[in-house]
Amino acid sequence: MSDADLEEIRKGRLAHLQQQQQSGAGGGPGAASQDEQKKEQEAEARASILSQILHPEAADRLGRIRIVKESRATDVENRLIMLARSGQLRAKVTEEQLKELLGAVAENNERDGTAGGKIVVSRRKGGWDDDDDLLDL
């Protein structure tokens, strides 16, 4: 095979791969922006619902919880949105009610074993203690 034949085969394969990439793979970069737009719309809808059902103090507390543990805040938000959609919330949720809901979510996570909130510190015992140096004075 000559160099011209190889170049012709390469061009053909390149054109074929480009055609596959454009027709397949979810439509190219447009699909990624659609996913981002969808996520953005869902986040806006969640924020809108939460602003309607939470007192400002409760919203602040939930924001602080999100900073510390995002999964816990998401669980609480999901539960609040579910309660609001089912019509079980008669008035805006206060900070005290949010605390009770946080306690219920924490108990539920502990019962399911998904808490991950317990931290166990095991310290080495023995020769790694520098307090013995003070006795030499």
Side-chain angles (χ1 to χ4, degrees):
M1 283 193 162
S2 66
D3 290 337
D5 292 337
L6 288 174
E7 189 64 32
E8 193 174 315
I9 292 171
R10 284 185 191 135
K11 286 182 183 179
R13 288 192 65 173
L14 181 61
H16 179 70
L17 289 172
Q18 287 175 345
Q19 188 179 25
Q20 277 183 340
Q21 188 176 18
Q22 289 175 356
S23 64
S33 65
Q34 285 179 345
D35 289 342
E36 289 176 14
Q37 284 180 341
K38 187 176 180 182
K39 287 180 183 178
E40 201 172 292
Q41 287 174 349
E42 289 175 3
E44 288 176 12
R46 287 175 68 91
S48 172
I49 291 171
L50 290 171
S51 68
Q52 291 174 7
I53 62 174
L54 289 174
H55 275 283
E57 297 85 15
D60 288 342
R61 180 174 288 269
L62 192 57
R64 289 190 302 270
I65 292 168
R66 177 171 299 288
I67 291 170
V68 175
K69 188 153 188 159
E70 189 168 348
S71 62
R72 175 87 35 102
T74 303
D75 289 345
V76 171
E77 286 178 359
N78 289 338
R79 190 171 286 194
L80 283 169
I81 290 171
M82 181 185 65
L83 290 172
R85 287 184 176 161
S86 65
Q88 295 180 7
L89 293 179
R90 303 280 185 238
K92 285 190 169 189
V93 177
T94 64
E95 190 172 5
E96 292 302 319
Q97 291 170 329
L98 185 64
K99 288 179 186 178
E100 292 173 11
L101 188 60
L102 282 166
V105 168
E107 287 176 14
N108 190 20
N109 285 346
E110 286 177 9
R111 188 177 31 158
D112 292 344
T114 59
K118 292 190 177 185
I119 298 173
V120 177
V121 177
S122 60
R123 299 180 188 256
R124 293 181 181 169
K125 302 199 185 215
W128 297 102
D129 191 8
D130 289 339
D131 291 341
D132 292 341
D133 296 340
L134 297 176
L135 298 175
D136 295 338
L137 294 175

